[in-house]
Amino acid sequence: MASLKKIRVGNIFIGGGERIAVQSMLNTKTADVKASVMQICRLKELGCDIVRAAVPDLEAAEAIREIKRLVDVPFVADIHFDYRLALAAIEAGADKIRINPGNMPKDKVALIAAKCKEREIPIRVGVNGGSLSRELHKKYGGVTAEAMVESAFENIKILNDCDFDDICISLKASSVPINVAAYRLMAKRSPYPLHLGVTEAGTERQGIIKSAVGIGSLLLDGIGDTLRVSLTAEPEKEVPAAYGILSAAGIHKGIEIVSCPTCGRTRIDLISIAKEVEERLTGIDKPLKVAVMGCAVNGPGEARDADIGIAGGDGDALLFKKGEIVRKVKEDEIISALLSEIEKM
Ligand code: SF4
């Protein structure tokens, strides 16, 4: 159920069956060009397709010009209330802007829409459960999926009335069930690309769990064109988490680590080995299944089924590649042996 409409953000297309794009948001001061560019480069290295940054003042809007000169990652300017910041961000070269048209005067939204049209850049309508209008709150008795979808259509109408249709939508709530229900409803009723996310999802641990359930269930329904895993953590944590969710949903074919939970049969320090292998392979974008298994019960089977893997013994392990035993390695050589074989692949 990918969206019918397609939009372009810089050199990336979103919607209409295109690859699902991964986004993150800078936590630097946007006006600090050096810090912002460095963070964008780190995010790009991890596979981030699009970055968003807060534009709270004119200094931040102006900084976009220099940031865009230094990096080629599509840049989304996040703006609230002040239409002048939106116009300045567009002038400075933003590839997309995120606004809530409902919290700006209509004639000012018309100015923004005209400028976006002239520059051929889209607008994301970002509905957030925390900022629903008082009327919708009252009508639906609080934050509900229906209230959020109605809010999205109110915002869409404002833009459509300005003869603007280059739109993508997000409907974020901090409650996962409401979040999922809102996106499902929207996907049935609208042709616009959907930006998935669970807002204020929490710290790294809780945020990844909530996002995996919220975003993951939508992806399994075939809903979603781009996504961000929002974490109360460094943005650099968000991108691998997004790819982890895409990979678990069977959409992104990246590194997949299959590791056993360990038990009384484990005779090597499998937990540390699996953690280190995962860390060392973070950011590598190759479709590889890597098995890190504790013993001979399920180990050889999983390791054989993987592209590469180990099955632990007593202070050593068997190294498998494409279903064949390569050799036996000592425990302290497991990680280096595994990584050097992966490098050759
Ligand atoms: S693979 Fe072996 S060590 Fe790992 S959980 Fe299964 S039985 Fe235990």
Side-chain angles (χ1 to χ4, degrees):
M1 210 192 297
S3 71
L4 297 172
K5 278 184 78 70
K6 193 188 283 195
I7 61 167
R8 182 179 62 80
V9 184
N11 55 3
I12 302 260
F13 286 93
I14 293 175
E18 291 285 334
R19 179 179 73 81
I20 295 175
V22 169
Q23 307 199 22
S24 185
M25 186 161 179
L26 306 187
N27 68 352
T28 54
K29 281 201 169 60
T30 309
D32 184 343
V33 172
K34 190 175 170 202
S36 299
V37 165
M38 280 170 68
Q39 188 160 65
I40 293 172
C41 290
R42 289 195 297 274
L43 292 169
K44 182 183 177 185
E45 186 90 350
L46 292 164
C48 185
D49 298 304
I50 296 168
V51 295
R52 179 160 56 109
V55 178
D57 49 37
L58 275 174
E59 200 191 353
E62 266 310 309
I64 296 172
R65 203 180 303 280
E66 184 64 1
I67 292 171
K68 288 279 305 172
R69 197 181 65 77
L70 295 167
V71 282
D72 59 357
V73 180
F75 188 100
V76 184
D78 190 278
I79 291 135
H80 287 277
F81 310 114
D82 191 340
Y83 78 100
R84 287 166 304 183
L85 297 177
L87 295 178
I90 299 164
E91 276 295 334
D95 297 294
K96 174 173 139 190
I97 59 163
R98 184 260 164 142
I99 56 169
N100 284 332
N103 67 25
M104 290 178 189
K106 285 189 183 161
D107 58 328
K108 307 304 182 204
V109 174
L111 291 177
I112 297 171
K115 190 58 117 183
C116 284
K117 206 168 181 179
E118 181 192 313
R119 298 289 173 109
E120 296 183 340
I121 68 168
I123 295 177
R124 163 147 76 96
V125 169
V127 174
N128 194 303
S131 52
L132 273 187
S133 69
R134 213 175 287 165
E135 294 74 34
L136 285 174
H137 229 269
K138 204 168 157 206
K139 179 174 171 188
Y140 290 97
V143 178
T144 66
E146 289 77 10
M148 290 176 67
V149 169
E150 189 168 329
S151 172
F153 277 110
E154 282 177 357
N155 283 293
I156 290 169
K157 184 172 180 321
I158 296 172
L159 290 172
N160 286 169
D161 287 348
C162 302
D163 193 26
F164 190 86
D165 202 37
D166 195 7
I167 298 169
C168 102
I169 309 287
S170 63
L171 300 147
K172 300 187 181 179
S174 55
S175 151
V176 174
I178 293 174
N179 207 79
V180 171
Y183 276 107
R184 283 182 178 151
L185 202 56
M186 197 69 197
K188 270 191 210 148
R189 294 189 188 165
S190 121
Y192 297 108
L194 293 175
H195 169 100
L196 304 184
V198 177
T199 197
E200 289 110 32
T203 54
E204 187 177 353
R205 181 179 159 277
Q206 185 190 288
I208 289 177
I209 293 170
K210 286 176 86 171
S211 300
V213 175
I215 296 173
S217 48
L218 291 164
L219 292 175
L220 291 175
D221 286 350
I223 296 171
D225 303 286
T226 177
L227 63 90
R228 176 195 174 198
V229 174
S230 307
L231 300 175
T232 311
E234 290 304 304
E236 288 85 344
K237 302 271 185 188
E238 297 185 347
V239 181
Y243 278 105
I245 293 171
L246 284 167
S247 168
I251 292 169
H252 180 76
K253 303 277 178 265
I255 298 272
E256 182 187 359
I257 295 178
V258 178
S259 59
C260 80
T262 73
C263 71
R265 295 183 191 89
T266 322
R267 295 283 177 272
I268 55 173
D269 185 3
L270 194 83
I271 296 176
S272 308
I273 293 170
K275 263 192 197 158
E276 190 168 341
V277 169
E278 184 183 58
E279 268 165 32
R280 303 270 291 267
L281 296 179
T282 298
I284 295 178
D285 193 21
K286 287 268 177 291
L288 270 187
K289 190 168 174 185
V290 181
V292 184
M293 302 294 291
C295 81
V297 175
N298 296 320
E302 284 288 0
R304 272 203 188 97
D305 191 43
D307 294 298
I308 179 120
I310 59 115
D314 192 355
D316 53 25
L318 283 178
L319 180 67
F320 291 82
K321 194 172 175 181
K322 301 279 181 200
E324 303 292 333
I325 296 175
V326 179
R327 62 182 187 277
K328 195 180 246 189
V329 286
K330 289 202 192 103
E331 182 170 356
D332 58 0
E333 293 165 356
I334 291 175
I335 294 169
S336 56
L338 202 50
L339 293 174
S340 99
E341 289 296 333
I342 288 173
E343 219 159 86
K344 285 185 217 160
M345 294 168 91

